[in-house]
Amino acid sequence: MMNGQAERFVQAVNALGRAARPLLGTVGEQEMALAGEIRLRVGAPAALSLPAGLKTIGTSPVTRQQMDEMVLSLCGQSVYTHQHELAAGYIHISGGHRAGVCGTAVIEQGRVTSIRDITSICLRIAREQPGCADEIIKRLFSRGLCSAVIAGAPCSGKTTLLRELACQLASGAIERPMRVAVVDERGEIALSSFTGEPGRLNRLCDVLCGYPKAEGILQAVRGLSPDVIICDELGTEEETIAVRAGINAGVHIICSVHAGSAEELARKPQISALMDTGAFSRFALLKGRNRPGEVSGIISGEELYALGGSGADSVVRIYRGNVTQRTASGA
Amino acid sequence: MLLEDMADFAHRAVGDIACSLMPPDRIVCGMSGRSGFFALCAEKINSGMTVREAWGTAMDECPASGCLKPEERLLVEKTGGQLGVYDSRRQVADLERLGRELDIFRDRAETDLRENGRTGVTCTVLASALAALMII
């Protein structure tokens, strides 16, 4: 009997369709359980991203025809249903997996409207690790629920952690069962339709799947009266405006950001934009690719401010402003 | 009549794709109550075939498809083979063209049928007249 992660690997491979069978048919169960990504490139053999590094599978290279068939299969045999995702460079697959694609961009009026002649697929296999948010809940919300940013390098388990955090908060891990809204733009957090029926998160939380984050946040605030909104990767101006609207409505926001260290986090322009909202006071840093979902530290806004450095000037300026405001209001 | 159902499918698919990006397998299955061809397609899709494979197999297996003229069959097969392959703009344009061409084929078939019917009536009248003359 396969373990859960190996089953998810098989599910992801099945999404690639029949063309993937000769390319990935020899992968052993142990590798299935460890693989974080499947990488396919026209003219090269398939490869797996394992904790030890990339491992090539077999020797047969992926052909153009196989690539086209796999892309069609990932799209559920309907390219137009996924055309907006394709233009953004990925395809969302049932089960919360995500295939990043690259090829030749089709540009219209300066915007990428589609991708043709796809040459590479990077299929990220979704993980589900019940209990992985226990530590972060203890350390992040020891003084009650607050808005927070979860920062980590790529593949450090940010989405897995957000998913578990949403379930735990909705189940009453702190104070009481919270009303949790999840804005899941790319369908990765909710593992929607995993095993063909709504997953644990869908049963516990309100999931806005496929919504652009800004619109999803505003819609959740307007219609779902959540205690907390959870979403991946905030940063654009529209999203910052939506966060501000959420904060004004008394909603807490928990989001993730790509950053491998506190210094990198402090230099992120979107962090300065988010801190400018005055909502985020706690930042959780994840250990990294080899320890998915594990927290290396929790830092406060003050500590982020103390990091200083020329690159962090905007954060320092904005944070200083927030501290001044809070001092003035006696908070 | 298969030609008429195909034309209806094309018109319906244009709306479904343009308004809601509905996948082609769902559009085809939604037509399964209309004709044996689409029922066969739905059966094949439910058994795990892709919509294009199901369409091609149904074209081979459905008795009604035997009534199509070669040019009609070619057009229908080509469209089925491209379902879901393109983005919505191209897919809609293809289906609109299919709809228009099927409408022309259908009108032509109806005209042929009427003319054949008229010819049949004329022949019958003439034959009757000839028979009457011979009897007299």
Side-chain angles (χ1 to χ4, degrees):
Chain A
M1 176 135 171
M2 281 187 185
N3 75 16
Q5 194 56 27
E7 274 178 29
R8 274 185 278 279
F9 179 94
V10 172
Q11 188 188 39
V13 170
N14 285 342
L16 289 164
R18 279 172 289 203
R21 282 180 203 157
L23 300 165
L24 294 159
T26 57
V27 179
E29 195 177 324
Q30 201 182 351
E31 286 170 334
M32 288 183 191
L34 291 171
E37 294 169 344
I38 300 167
R39 291 182 166 266
L40 300 149
R41 201 170 290 146
V42 173
L48 300 182
S49 286
L50 300 171
L54 272 185
K55 187 188 174 193
T56 305
I57 304 297
T59 52
S60 335
V62 179
T63 64
R64 176 79 259 164
Q65 194 188 347
Q66 280 172 323
M67 180 59 73
D68 290 345
E69 280 178 34
M70 287 190 286
V71 170
L72 253 178
S73 181
L74 287 171
C75 291
Q77 305 298 333
S78 175
V79 168
Y80 57 74
T81 309
H82 294 264
Q83 65 189 31
H84 300 301
E85 294 166 25
L86 273 171
Y90 69 92
I91 304 166
H92 159 232
I93 305 158
S94 170
H97 314 292
R98 187 181 63 167
V101 293
C102 73
T104 306
V106 180
I107 309 275
E108 265 179 51
Q109 294 174 335
R111 286 183 58 235
V112 178
T113 54
S114 187
I115 299 179
R116 64 177 166 81
D117 303 331
I118 290 172
T119 50
S120 300
I121 297 173
C122 171
L123 180 50
R124 285 185 65 174
I125 301 157
R127 283 184 286 244
E128 197 169 25
Q129 295 180 330
C132 71
D134 293 354
E135 187 195 353
I136 208 168
I137 284 177
K138 248 184 262 164
R139 295 175 65 179
L140 205 52
F141 306 122
S142 54
R143 285 174 284 176
L145 187 63
C146 62
S147 294
V149 174
I150 295 171
C155 301
S156 58
K158 295 184 292 291
T159 307
T160 309
L161 201 56
L162 285 178
R163 183 182 308 128
E164 183 60 18
L165 201 52
C167 290
Q168 295 232 21
L169 292 176
S171 308
I174 56 165
E175 297 166 14
R176 60 184 166 79
M178 301 284 173
R179 293 185 298 263
V180 181
V182 176
V183 181
D184 194 8
E185 185 172 6
R186 293 176 293 202
E188 288 184 295
I189 306 176
L191 291 179
S192 52
S193 312
F194 192 63
T195 68
E197 54 186 46
R200 189 162 64 111
L201 189 132
N202 299 71
R203 289 195 298 272
L204 292 166
C205 310
D206 299 318
V207 180
L208 295 100
C209 192
Y211 282 74
K213 283 185 282 276
E215 206 169 310
I217 291 170
L218 291 174
Q219 192 143 327
V221 170
R222 277 198 301 262
L224 300 168
S225 63
D227 295 311
V228 56
I229 295 174
I230 290 181
C231 55
D232 248 351
E233 273 298 311
L234 287 180
T236 67
E237 199 181 340
E238 293 84 25
E239 287 160 10
T240 311
I241 292 168
V243 166
R244 204 170 269 135
I247 301 301
N248 289 339
V251 179
H252 295 286
I253 311 280
I254 299 173
C255 69
S256 65
V257 167
H258 280 300
S261 64
E263 290 76 18
E264 196 184 326
L265 181 67
R267 281 195 294 270
K268 286 264 171 182
Q270 64 259 49
I271 287 298
S272 53
L274 289 175
M275 285 187 76
D276 194 24
T277 64
F280 295 90
S281 56
R282 310 275 277 165
F283 301 82
L285 292 162
L286 301 186
K287 279 184 180 163
R289 188 181 282 264
N290 294 332
R291 310 284 293 273
E294 289 185 31
V295 182
S296 69
I298 306 283
I299 57 171
S300 63
E302 285 90 345
E303 283 164 320
L304 201 62
Y305 161 69
L307 280 171
S310 58
D313 278 352
S314 56
V315 176
V316 171
R317 179 173 44 76
I318 288 158
Y319 193 72
R320 203 176 272 154
N322 289 340
V323 171
T324 315
Q325 278 171 19
R326 277 197 283 170
T327 313
S329 63
Chain B
M1 189 177 159
L2 186 57
L3 214 50
E4 196 172 332
D5 292 331
M6 288 287 181
D8 284 350
F9 164 79
H11 297 310
R12 180 174 166 172
V14 165
D16 283 345
I17 294 169
C19 297
S20 58
L21 299 178
M22 191 180 282
D25 52 348
R26 280 174 58 188
I27 304 172
V28 169
C29 290
M31 294 282 291
S32 62
R34 287 289 304 268
S35 78
F37 173 81
F38 289 106
L40 202 55
C41 276
E43 193 187 306
K44 305 285 177 197
I45 289 167
N46 291 333
S47 72
M49 279 189 187
T50 68
V51 67
R52 292 177 302 283
E53 290 166 344
W55 188 283
T57 312
M59 280 300 287
D60 292 338
E61 292 180 9
C62 181
S65 65
C67 305
L68 296 175
K69 290 178 184 166
E71 67 269 25
E72 295 167 350
R73 189 183 173 95
L74 196 68
L75 180 68
V76 170
E77 274 178 347
K78 191 178 160 200
T79 305
Q82 292 172 342
L83 284 175
V85 175
Y86 302 117
D87 67 2
S88 60
R89 215 154 39 162
R90 170 129 187 225
Q91 194 78 78
V92 164
D94 275 0
L95 286 163
E96 278 174 344
R97 195 176 59 239
L98 172 75
R100 276 194 305 271
E101 291 185 26
L102 285 174
D103 284 343
I104 293 168
F105 284 142
R106 189 178 51 183
D107 292 346
R108 197 181 296 161
E110 279 171 6
T111 310
D112 287 350
L113 203 66
R114 267 199 307 274
E115 280 176 4
N116 287 344
R118 220 174 290 150
T119 312
V121 170
T122 312
C123 287
T124 312
V125 171
L126 283 175
S128 307
L130 195 64
L133 279 172
M134 284 172 75
I135 292 165
I136 295 166

